[in-house]
Amino acid sequence: MIYLELYGIFFLIGLFSFGGGYAAMPWILSLAVEQKGWLTLSEYADLTSIAEMTPGPIGVNAATFVGQKMAGLPGALFCTLGCITPSLIIVLLLALLYQRYRDLGVMKNVLFRLRPAVVSLIASAGVTILLLALFNAASYKEVSLTAVRPVEACLFLVSLLLLRKTKISPIAVLLLSAAAGTLLYLFL
Amino acid sequence: MKNEAFAAEKHPYLKLFLSMLEISAFTFGGGFVIISMMRKRYAREYGWLNDQEVLDMTAIAQSAPGALGVNSAIIFGYRIAGLPGVFLSLLATVIPPVVIISLITFFYERFVNNEVANIVLQVMRAGVAAVIADVVIDLGKAVFETKNLLNIALMLAAFFALSVFKVSSLWIIAAALILGIASSLKGGKQ
């Protein structure tokens, strides 16, 4: 039965993808594309850009796309459920452990060391997006200061200023800057 | 578990559901953007959590398999409102992408090749980077304010390892974990 098969494969994809949604993409390639033949390679390439271009977690986007292609809306739901089931079980277990033991000495020390590491994780994700935005560069090696995109640089600075100095919600800042940038590109 | 700030709200569950829905629907760029939004919303605007808890939960969400956005919805939901919070947050996180992607599969070739869609995607990144930078400034400042040299060094070293040497984030978490256990064994206090 196709629904159970979709659920099962995406359960595995969810279980194996350590390190966020992007980590799911190679598993989708090997399980859903190469093993099951649910997508062609060019559909897989489209999936990658669509998952990035639409809001929401990348893993859920990818699961919905494959499920929808294979078996319509019910397929999309089974794939999405499949890929969130392992998360639900494992994260809930960790949450319970955190709840129960976070005041324990060892746990306190571990969390105390984990926090600065997590700040770095967020910062490095931010730098990756910033380099893409300002220089269209995939890594710092490709950055050339002369290739800076002025529209994006202004949008970044103004957005950051708004976020630091006013109480405008980040979602409003995001939408405003996207609208302003798009208009600038279309009419300049 | 009681979250008093949450319980004091007039319609706490509705507020949780709608805010998660909004964050999922408008957050482009994946997990860490979602976490930045959640931290701003739940720690700063609503006061349901503090920054430390946000960092702890981010570490947990990152150490489990699966999409980071989904994992953080589960653990933030749990921390804010227990099991009902988990299901509300998950539902709210999953609905927007399922709806949007389901619609897009019908005309995705036109969407992917659409000039305006591509411009929006490109300029959107500038705002997304600003949202993350805003959060990093606050959280990084807090690490410097602890005046704990090992933690400051850890933060900077981890940043270079991640962004220059492209070390996997799982190694960074593992290293911090080992350091934490080691300082416990030495009998060190934070």
Side-chain angles (χ1 to χ4, degrees), chain A residues 90-186:
Chain A
I90 295 168
V91 176
L92 268 184
L93 276 176
L94 291 174
L96 284 170
L97 288 176
Y98 171 71
Q99 188 102 331
R100 180 158 301 183
Y101 297 113
R102 71 191 198 121
D103 293 324
L104 212 72
V106 184
M107 192 70 159
K108 267 188 166 169
N109 276 317
V110 167
L111 290 172
F112 183 65
R113 296 296 178 214
L114 269 177
R115 284 174 203 137
V118 172
V119 177
S120 298
L121 291 181
I122 302 177
S124 122
V127 167
T128 307
I129 297 177
L130 186 65
L131 292 181
L132 266 178
L134 299 193
F135 303 100
N136 204 10
S139 84
Y140 74 99
K141 283 179 203 137
E142 292 171 24
V143 169
S144 86
L145 287 176
T146 48
V148 64
R149 304 167 73 109
V151 172
E152 280 85 347
C154 292
L155 287 175
F156 173 73
L157 291 175
V158 173
S159 303
L160 187 57
L161 207 69
L162 285 174
L163 288 165
R164 303 293 310 166
K165 301 291 174 201
T166 69
K167 292 206 174 251
I168 304 181
S169 99
I171 289 172
V173 171
L174 212 69
L175 295 179
L176 277 176
S177 92
T182 308
L183 290 178
L184 279 171
Y185 268 103
L186 288 179

Side-chain angles (χ1 to χ4, degrees), chain B:
Chain B
M1 180 210 57
K2 276 236 168 70
N3 188 319
E4 281 160 19
F6 175 75
E9 299 280 350
K10 207 170 164 202
H11 300 290
Y13 292 103
L14 187 67
K15 204 168 169 182
L16 177 66
F17 181 77
L18 291 180
S19 54
M20 285 279 178
L21 197 68
E22 189 188 351
I23 290 172
S24 177
F26 292 110
T27 305
F28 294 78
F32 285 111
V33 191
I34 296 180
I35 285 175
S36 302
M37 292 285 190
M38 287 184 183
R39 179 258 174 193
K40 189 99 179 171
R41 183 60 64 92
Y42 300 122
R44 285 294 146 110
E45 285 175 38
Y46 294 176
W48 291 351
L49 301 167
N50 62 46
D51 276 352
Q52 282 200 351
E53 288 174 308
V54 169
L55 287 177
D56 295 348
M57 291 189 293
T58 308
I60 293 171
Q62 176 80 24
S63 345
L68 193 51
V70 171
N71 292 357
S72 33
I74 294 170
I75 194 160
F76 277 70
Y78 184 75
R79 201 60 207 138
I80 292 171
L83 278 184
V86 172
F87 290 103
L88 282 180
S89 307
L90 255 186
L91 202 62
T93 302
V94 167
I95 289 173
V98 169
V99 171
I100 294 170
I101 300 276
S102 293
L103 293 176
I104 280 180
T105 38
F106 294 112
F107 52 93
Y108 74 91
E109 270 163 41
R110 255 186 296 164
F111 178 72
V112 169
N113 299 320
N114 184 284
E115 193 201 355
V116 179
N118 279 293
I119 292 176
V120 174
L121 178 69
Q122 164 64 22
V123 294
M124 185 75 94
R125 290 183 181 137
V128 168
V131 170
I132 298 188
D134 174 44
V135 166
V136 169
I137 292 171
D138 287 338
L139 297 180
K141 214 161 74 184
V143 172
F144 279 106
E145 279 162 5
T146 61
K147 296 210 170 68
N148 184 299
L149 286 180
L150 184 55
N151 268 8
I152 296 171
L154 178 64
M155 181 170 74
L156 298 176
F159 178 74
F160 278 106
L162 285 162
S163 50
V164 180
F165 301 108
K166 302 287 171 205
V167 173
S168 155
S169 53
L170 286 177
W171 288 114
I172 303 293
I173 299 263
L177 218 95
I178 290 166
L179 259 175
I181 295 172
S183 42
S184 288
L185 291 180
K186 269 181 61 190
K189 283 260 159 68
Q190 32 170 302

